[in-house]
Amino acid sequence: MAILEARNIGKTYGGVVALKDAGIHVEAGSVHALLGENGAGKSTLIKIMSGAVTPDRGRLLLNGQEVRFRDTGEAARQGVAIVSQELNLFPDLDVLANLYPVTGPRRGPFVDRAAMTEAAEPVLEQLGLKVSLRTRLGDLSLAQRQLVEIARALLTRPRVLILDEPTSALEQASADRLLNVVRVLREHEVGVVFVSHILEEVMALSDVITVLRNGQVVMEARERGTLSMQEVVTAMLGDRPAQEKGRTPLAASPVQAGDAEAAVRPAEGADRTAGTGGADGPVGRAGRAADGALRIVDAGAQGVLADVSLTVRPGEILGLAGLAGSGHQATLELVAGLRRVETGEVRLPSGRPVPRGLRRSIAAGVAVVSGDRRRFGLMLDKPIWENIAQVRAVALGRDGAFLRRTALRERARDHGERMSLRCASVDQRTGLLSGGNQQKVVLAKWLDANPSVLLLDDPTRGVDVGAKAEMHALIRSATEAGTVTLLCSTDVEELASLCDRVAVFYRGKVAATLAGDDLNQHRILEIMNTGQD
Amino acid sequence: MSVNDVGTEGTAAADAPNAPEGGPGRSPYGRAGDLARRVPAMESMSVLVATVALVVVIGVIHPDFLSAGQLLDMLQASVYVGLLAGGMAFLISMREIDLSVGSMFGLSLISMGLLINQGFSPWLAGLLGVLLGGVLGLINALVVQFIGIPTIVATLATLSVYRGLALALSEGQQVTGMPVDDSFFTILGGKVLGVQTSIWVLVAVTVLLTVVLRFTSFGYRVRAIGSNPDAATFSGISANRVRMQVLVLMGLLAGVAAALGLAFFTSGDPNIGTGFELQAIAAAVIGGTPLRGGTATVVGAVFGGILLAVVGSGLQYFNIPVNWSSFATGAVILLAVSLDSLLRRRRRRKDAELGL
């Protein structure tokens, strides 16, 4: 019998259906993988199971009894614990204190560290976490911290443990480590729900697999042994046809490529399979390379990247795909000057090697659009025009020492109109804009500096569907105006639909470069999970 | 306020506002501008109101307080803290605080006096003293950058180091025997057009700093760092370089204040300026520069300094026992900051209604 069962769950967020009719049943001592694309409803379902969200419809059964969790605390008391993506730990406290954040054993008014240690040591040992309980948590590695979080959950003696993306950083040893964790959980007769993007891991660890698509169960509790990875991918994506290129014709696009540079646009359909050999012809040290391409030649960094060679021409969007830590992001960091090029070389469109440090890279014409706009992108308390002026006028000082506010506002207004930015005026505080419009402001501030290389790191994170389409059109037209564009994204559909080519990384190397008919979500997902072309 | 409602998400390109600039259907991107441009002026509003109100209240009870001479004396007394507060506003707006400003002021002043006693021409000594202030600021910056500690910690140390140097160099004695007939003392310590020279300097520096903060890319960088340090770095702004520039500016301002002080007092006490750091921070905060950074008002900070001076001399008019003066000053600071907070909350409500 199932320990925890969810039946016919439905949940709607303000008109958007997250779950139509979903369910899952978790058995004791078994690992149940829950899979699905971004937006398939996985996180809503586990939030409902852990008490964070109340469902509109459906029932939750714990040991056959119907339950209703008011909050996560109540769920935890009843034995349903969750280890979430964001680590909920206190970096300045030691490991022991982190294991008992609220209710540790006490002796009178004092925390009973001896009793805590006694309870904690066997659990840590089982998990294979060999650190002193007095170690400051912040000094542990990410993997060790995740183990602490799992240990903390285990100490509450849960009957069901939900692991939400337990491996965000894929290391060589991570699968072994997780196998070990899962073994411990099985010994404790815990029912495990395992949510992950990383199919390879899922295939290695889980006993049964449930796949959600569009808020519905499309594959229910299939035994892992009977499935191939291909089948799982198909279940996740459905049999929808290979994605049409999301290349909006300029006329229909909300964006007008108003810049004069718009003329620089390579012929559509021309042979773009650029040779990865690199140095085609001599490149003058100072002079612009003949074709203005970004060249990455045999670039490497110890333990992160090896022998990466890519050439990207102006007007082209190259996608960088891969699981976390597989090197696609490191490649972006190389070009941004955030990571040192240890072997090989990276040459900007000017023909110069990429300088050391983000600041110099930016001055050399590199733009870095981060998906984390609240942290790295914007000054939320400032008006829109100040944000748009931040790179060219403020950081690079290209408009001279004295800045004319009217001119800056004028230019911001132009960008705003071109991007159909929805705001009351460019004097509006940026924090009041919706996520999609905020991200447009981030893009605008970089385009204002006329970059030759546009680096996009998950540029549509947390942006709704409509705004996403607009962002894509903007990225397209900015690229067609003559920039070299590199796109990292956690959204495989975005990679497949927006990019001209996608380089798929696996364990620090480019496993394949997909283009044309080869470029679809299935292929990307498969190669990033297996490394097999 | 506009056809394009704030925060609504639609995909239609049709609502892209394409009306030509200045035409009848002026672009919605340009509205609300007039209002927003008034906001900077309003930032220092509450301190202006508080200062004027306090002067009027004291004046009503003691009419002779309102004589031009008395008011000018009061302004003159506020010049030193006012200059330091102007620099402090820069620092606070980039989320930094310099605790060594009073000591830089003192050390510069003592050094000038000692140089003059060594036979240097007072003007040259004054210039060297101002430059010394800049060097002291640079030392602060280098300590922060190369030891890698917060500015407030580094300057907590140099607060003592610089004061200690002033005491050691002067052997704890007053530096006296200045050639008071020299033009340095008669001009900088005297009056121009009936107003103390130091007040003119304060006005000029206030205007200059305001222009730098509001209209130069340097000023924008300072505020960008305070608004979101990560985003500023990610946009290519070097926080280290900007911090160094501002700390040097702070030191130079302390040097200028010191030159004016020596010229006015015609002697140097090695303990002069003790506690100015807290007064300067208080003045900047009263003036409307929030500690969370991102914005600053030099005018407000200077008026904050003036308000503190008004309180100081007002207390004398009311014969308040000297032992109660700290209490009274603190109460006035609380009042001023509360008023500011109140006005700010009202303004934010209004802004929210306008969707600003």
Side-chain angles (χ1 to χ4, degrees):
Chain A
M1 194 189 67
I3 333 178
L4 180 66
E5 191 176 354
R7 277 192 203 154
N8 310 112
I9 301 285
K11 178 75 193 176
T12 307
Y13 290 107
V16 180
V17 179
L19 289 175
K20 260 184 237 154
D21 178 22
I24 187 170
H25 58 95
V26 188
E27 312 272 344
S30 144
V31 179
H32 199 137
L34 181 62
L35 298 176
E37 271 191 292
N38 277 345
K42 303 182 302 264
S43 34
T44 309
L45 184 57
I46 59 170
K47 276 182 191 156
I48 287 170
M49 290 162 69
S50 62
V53 168
T54 330
D56 301 338
R57 275 181 290 110
R59 302 198 295 158
L60 269 185
L61 302 171
L62 189 64
N63 284 325
Q65 303 270 312
E66 178 154 1
V67 283
R68 217 165 258 287
F69 298 137
R70 268 183 316 232
D71 50 36
T72 48
E74 194 182 332
R77 277 192 295 282
Q78 304 231 25
V80 181
I82 182 164
V83 175
S84 56
Q85 263 164 303
E86 301 101 50
L87 298 168
N88 294 311
L89 298 170
F90 306 96
D92 289 318
L93 302 183
D94 67 2
V95 171
L96 190 62
N98 269 288
L99 289 173
Y100 290 96
V102 200
T103 50
R106 266 154 228 272
R107 182 181 293 158
F110 300 107
V111 172
D112 189 351
R113 282 184 66 99
M116 280 160 67
T117 310
E118 206 172 303
E121 267 176 344
V123 175
L124 291 187
E125 197 164 321
Q126 279 180 316
L127 291 173
L129 182 62
K130 295 181 191 71
V131 294
S132 156
L133 289 170
R134 290 170 188 279
T135 318
R136 209 179 72 93
L137 188 99
D139 296 336
L140 299 184
S141 74
L142 190 61
Q144 288 174 319
R145 276 183 261 172
Q146 280 169 331
L147 287 179
V148 171
E149 183 129 30
I150 292 169
R152 177 167 81 176
L154 278 180
L155 282 167
T156 65
R157 308 206 167 278
R159 284 180 284 179
V160 175
L161 184 62
I162 302 169
L163 299 173
D164 187 7
E165 308 265 1
T167 42
S168 30
L170 188 78
E171 314 159 30
Q172 207 66 22
S174 73
D176 301 344
R177 182 170 55 80
L178 262 177
L179 269 174
N180 193 36
V181 170
V182 166
R183 184 180 53 74
V184 175
L185 294 171
R186 282 203 189 99
E187 275 167 26
H188 284 248
E189 278 294 301
V190 175
V192 181
V193 180
F194 180 50
V195 181
S196 176
H197 278 311
I198 306 173
L199 292 181
E200 196 185 29
E201 235 172 48
V202 169
M203 296 308 273
L205 295 174
S206 56
D207 301 314
V208 277
I209 295 177
T210 290
V211 179
L212 292 182
R213 190 170 69 233
N214 299 329
Q216 278 174 307
V217 176
V218 291
M219 179 188 280
E220 190 174 5
R222 288 274 301 274
E223 291 281 329
R224 184 242 312 171
T226 66
L227 287 168
S228 71
M229 195 175 288
Q230 182 62 43
E231 282 175 275
V232 176
V233 171
T234 307
M236 283 168 66
L237 300 178
D239 44 20
R240 82 181 92 140
Q243 202 74 31
E244 264 310 296
K245 279 264 173 285
R247 204 157 307 151
T248 342
L250 269 179
S253 140
V255 185
Q256 273 115 46
D259 299 42
E261 300 98 314
V264 195
R265 178 180 168 182
E268 196 67 47
D271 181 30
R272 283 200 192 150
T273 29
T276 47
D280 347 21
V283 173
R285 267 200 77 78
R288 195 178 166 88
D291 55 355
L294 171 78
R295 284 191 168 71
I296 303 173
V297 185
D298 297 328
Q302 186 81 43
V304 188
L305 269 186
D307 306 326
V308 172
S309 290
L310 294 163
T311 303
V312 198
R313 293 175 201 290
E316 188 184 22
I317 303 179
L318 175 73
L320 305 173
L323 301 173
S326 63
H328 59 307
Q329 245 147 352
T331 305
L332 212 61
E333 286 164 12
L334 283 184
V335 182
L338 285 166
R339 186 185 278 280
R340 203 164 71 81
V341 185
E342 288 170 21
T343 55
E345 59 172 10
V346 179
R347 283 187 185 276
L348 295 177
S350 60
R352 291 207 182 90
V354 70
R356 279 289 296 282
L358 179 64
R359 236 181 80 70
R360 287 194 208 126
S361 290
I362 291 170
V366 177
V368 193
V369 176
S370 162
D372 194 349
R373 54 182 170 271
R374 303 187 79 84
R375 172 138 187 237
F376 295 119
L378 294 172
M379 303 181 284
L380 295 173
D381 59 336
K382 296 274 185 199
I384 293 164
W385 67 266
E386 271 198 63
N387 275 293
I388 292 182
Q390 195 174 22
V391 179
R392 170 172 148 179
V394 176
L396 301 178
R398 286 213 189 125
D399 294 352
F402 282 88
L403 299 182
R404 284 185 48 238
R405 207 170 292 198
T406 40
L408 296 180
R409 291 168 72 245
E410 191 66 38
R411 223 162 61 213
R413 214 172 293 152
D414 287 347
H415 284 290
E417 288 184 12
R418 196 153 51 232
M419 298 194 161
S420 50
L421 186 69
R422 270 170 290 282
C423 59
S425 88
V426 291
D427 299 311
Q428 194 177 338
R429 265 216 314 277
T430 316
L432 294 171
L433 297 176
S434 68
N437 279 307
Q438 285 184 4
Q439 200 60 3
K440 283 187 200 168
V441 174
V442 178
L443 188 62
K445 86 175 198 180
W446 287 107
L447 295 184
D448 189 46
N450 276 326
S452 57
V453 178
L454 185 58
L455 304 180
L456 306 162
D457 185 10
D458 229 354
T460 56
R461 187 194 299 176
V463 161
D464 70 62
V465 182
K468 193 178 226 171
E470 287 185 84
M471 276 296 287
H472 286 175
L474 290 167
I475 291 167
R476 216 349 100 197
S477 82
T479 307
E480 275 159 2
T483 64
V484 168
T485 302
L486 296 187
L487 169 73
C488 267
S489 180
T490 50
D491 181 350
V492 178
E493 191 197 339
E494 177 167 85
L495 288 168
S497 64
L498 182 61
C499 299
D500 297 302
R501 288 185 297 146
V502 172
V504 188
F505 285 72
Y506 186 78
R507 304 214 160 133
K509 294 192 172 186
V510 179
T513 306
L514 304 174
D517 292 340
D518 253 0
L519 176 51
N520 58 55
Q521 291 182 67
H522 289 250
R523 296 278 287 146
I524 296 175
L525 268 177
E526 228 176 279
I527 298 168
M528 72 193 224
N529 278 290
T530 61
Q532 310 288 312
D533 190 355
Chain B
M1 126 144 261
S2 146
V3 284
N4 298 302
D5 280 342
V6 180
T8 51
E9 283 293 339
T11 45
D15 51 65
N18 284 322
E21 259 308 285
R26 194 171 152 234
S27 161
Y29 295 109
R31 280 235 207 110
D34 306 327
L35 210 149
R37 252 172 300 176
R38 270 178 10 226
V39 170
M42 288 163 71
E43 270 171 352
S44 48
M45 201 58 195
S46 27
V47 71
L48 286 175
V49 171
T51 310
V52 172
L54 192 62
V55 169
V56 169
V57 168
I58 300 173
V60 166
I61 302 168
H62 296 283
D64 48 339
F65 184 76
L66 291 179
S67 74
Q70 169 61 28
L71 290 177
L72 284 176
D73 282 351
M74 209 174 56
L75 273 179
Q76 144 70 29
S78 75
V79 164
Y80 315 110
V81 169
L83 285 171
L84 298 177
M88 197 64 84
F90 269 65
L91 275 164
I92 292 176
S93 79
M94 61 179 293
R95 301 193 191 172
E96 304 277 10
I97 279 184
D98 184 343
L99 289 179
S100 72
V101 293
S103 299
M104 291 196 288
F105 170 77
L107 181 53
S108 294
L109 194 148
I110 289 296
S111 307
M112 288 176 205
L114 292 173
L115 284 176
I116 293 169
N117 277 349
Q118 291 295 313
F120 277 73
S121 111
W123 284 106
L124 180 60
L127 180 67
L128 290 174
V130 172
L131 292 178
L132 174 68
V135 171
L136 297 177
L138 182 65
I139 292 171
N140 282 339
L142 293 174
V143 169
V144 169
Q145 194 165 335
F146 291 106
I147 303 184
I149 49 176
T151 309
I152 192 165
V153 176
T155 55
L156 184 62
T158 54
L159 157 79
S160 292
V161 170
Y162 297 161
R163 178 65 63 194
L165 273 177
L167 284 161
L169 288 176
S170 63
E171 290 166 341
Q173 303 296 310
Q174 290 257 356
V175 177
T176 52
M178 297 291 114
V180 290
D181 295 331
D182 190 277
S183 57
F184 177 81
F185 293 94
T186 53
I187 293 177
L188 285 189
K191 290 188 176 186
V192 173
L193 303 175
V195 174
Q196 281 90 334
T197 314
S198 57
I199 296 177
W200 289 117
V201 173
L202 179 66
V203 171
V205 169
T206 305
V207 171
L208 183 73
L209 288 182
T210 301
V211 169
V212 168
L213 186 68
R214 293 211 179 285
F215 301 109
T216 67
S217 50
F218 170 65
Y220 276 87
R221 270 175 226 148
V222 169
R223 288 178 286 135
I225 290 170
S227 174
N228 183 347
D230 288 334
T233 310
F234 240 75
S235 303
I237 296 171
S238 165
N240 278 335
R241 185 187 299 179
V242 176
R243 190 195 309 112
M244 182 174 290
Q245 289 163 334
V246 176
L247 284 173
V248 169
L249 173 72
M250 187 75 247
L252 289 172
L253 286 170
V256 169
L260 295 174
L262 182 67
F264 183 77
F265 298 118
T266 63
S267 69
D269 182 327
N271 280 311
I272 194 166
T274 303
F276 274 16
E277 56 281 340
L278 292 185
Q279 288 189 45
I281 295 167
V285 172
I286 293 170
T289 300
L291 285 174
R292 70 177 147 73
T295 59
T297 153
V298 176
V299 176
V302 170
F303 268 91
I306 293 172
L307 179 62
L308 291 177
V310 173
V311 174
S313 61
L315 290 176
Q316 290 163 13
Y317 270 78
F318 287 104
N319 292 324
I320 292 184
V322 80
N323 289 337
W324 281 94
S325 65
S326 273
F327 176 88
T329 309
V332 169
I333 292 179
L334 261 183
L335 270 174
V337 185
S338 315
L339 174 69
D340 188 50
S341 165
L342 208 77
L343 288 179
R344 230 163 258 279
R345 219 173 299 163
R346 272 189 50 191
R347 188 168 60 209
R348 206 167 302 144
R349 250 203 318 275
K350 245 184 254 165
D351 283 0
E353 279 163 20
L354 292 171
L356 266 176

